[in-house]
Amino acid sequence: MTSKNYNPEIHHRRSIRLKYYDYNQAGAYFITICVQDKKCLLGKINEGLNHINQYGKIVEEIWNYLPIHFPRIEIDGAVIMPNHFHGIIVINEYQKFGESLNDGLEKGLERSRQFYDKKTFLGSIIAYFKYETTKLINLQRNSPGVKFWQRNYYEHIVRNEDSLNILRNYIIENPLRWEIDVLHPDNLTGVW
C-alpha cells in the first residue's frame, strides 16, 4: 500500500545509509539533523559566537539526556547551529549478562523498546531525540503536531581516532564558519 502523496516517478527516495552496515553495532557516529525547511529556529551566530535560544536549549537538554534514556551510549561533541544540529554518538557494546541497571535506567530501556523492533539502534536514538525535542519545542511554540525536523538525518561512521578528532574540531569550529556553511540560509543550493 502506498501513500496518495508518494509518486515513485517524482519522489526518488533511496536510503542514505551505508548498504550492509549494521547500525546496531558498537562504534562512533557523527550525525547531522536539519530543522524543517532549514529555518533558523535554534538561535543565532554573531561574530563566530553561538547564541542558542529557548528551542536550542531544549535540543541541548534532550541531547544531554540521551545516555540516561539509552544507557548503552555516550555522547561526545555537539553543536547547535541556527538551523541544524551536529553531534557524535558512541554506541558501546551490549551490557554483559548479570550486570544490573538502576531502576531509572530500566524504565528508560522499557520506554525505548518500542523503537528497537523496527529501527536500528542508531535510528532509535535519533527518532527518540527528534520526537522529544519536537514535542517540547512545539509546546513552547503552541504548535502541536507541526514538524520541527526534516525527515531523516545524515550520519557518518567514525572509523578511527584521527577521524574522531577531525570531527570534534569541526564541531568546535562550526560557528566560526557559519557564513560559509553550506546550510547557511544564504548558501543553500538544494543539495541538502
Side-chain angles (χ1 to χ4, degrees):
M1 183 168 161
T2 60
S3 167
K4 291 179 182 179
N5 296 332
Y6 177 73
N7 180 340
E9 298 300 318
I10 299 170
H11 304 103
H12 301 284
R13 287 187 183 160
R14 62 180 176 80
S15 176
I16 59 173
R17 306 291 156 245
L18 184 62
K19 197 172 186 178
Y20 305 117
Y21 186 83
D22 180 5
Y23 287 93
N24 295 309
Q25 69 183 337
Y29 302 89
F30 173 78
I31 56 133
T32 300
I33 307 170
C34 294
V35 173
Q36 183 71 21
D37 300 322
K38 296 177 194 73
K39 292 181 181 174
C40 293
L41 299 177
L42 298 173
K44 296 179 184 177
I45 295 180
N46 293 323
E47 298 179 11
L49 296 176
N50 201 353
H51 303 278
I52 61 173
N53 61 20
Q54 70 271 26
Y55 309 137
K57 288 178 181 169
I58 289 170
V59 170
E60 181 179 51
E61 180 182 319
I62 298 301
W63 174 255
N64 289 329
Y65 178 74
L66 287 177
I68 296 167
H69 190 78
F70 297 97
R72 231 181 104 201
I73 73 165
E74 297 171 34
I75 53 173
D76 201 296
V79 64
I80 300 163
M81 299 297 287
N83 64 359
H84 65 283
F85 172 82
H86 295 297
I88 299 171
I89 296 173
V90 179
I91 298 176
N92 296 310
E93 295 295 329
Y94 287 103
Q95 189 155 351
K96 294 180 180 140
F97 179 75
E99 291 180 347
S100 63
L101 297 170
N102 68 33
D103 290 338
L105 296 179
E106 286 179 15
K107 289 176 184 173
L109 280 171
E110 186 60 39
R111 285 191 304 270
S112 21
R113 283 201 175 96
Q114 62 178 312
F115 295 115
Y116 291 164
D117 294 337
K118 296 179 182 174
K119 300 180 186 312
T120 65
F121 189 60
L122 181 62
S124 298
I125 297 163
I126 303 305
Y128 175 82
F129 176 78
K130 289 170 79 172
Y131 172 79
E132 289 296 322
T133 53
T134 298
K135 179 177 69 173
L136 294 173
I137 289 169
N138 280 346
L139 265 172
Q140 279 201 3
R141 295 170 72 194
N142 196 23
S143 57
V146 173
K147 281 183 74 171
F148 187 78
W149 300 107
Q150 277 188 191
R151 180 184 175 273
N152 224 326
Y153 60 95
Y154 169 82
E155 113 287 318
H156 171 80
I157 302 161
V158 182
R159 299 187 188 271
N160 56 49
E161 195 71 27
D162 288 340
S163 177
L164 181 60
N165 288 329
I166 289 168
L167 292 167
R168 286 174 175 153
N169 194 49
Y170 177 83
I171 284 170
I172 290 167
E173 294 179 356
N174 205 224
L176 297 171
R177 294 188 308 269
W178 176 235
E179 295 300 320
I180 60 169
D181 193 306
V182 296
L183 294 174
H184 188 285
D186 294 341
N187 303 330
L188 291 173
T189 62
V191 174
W192 277 71

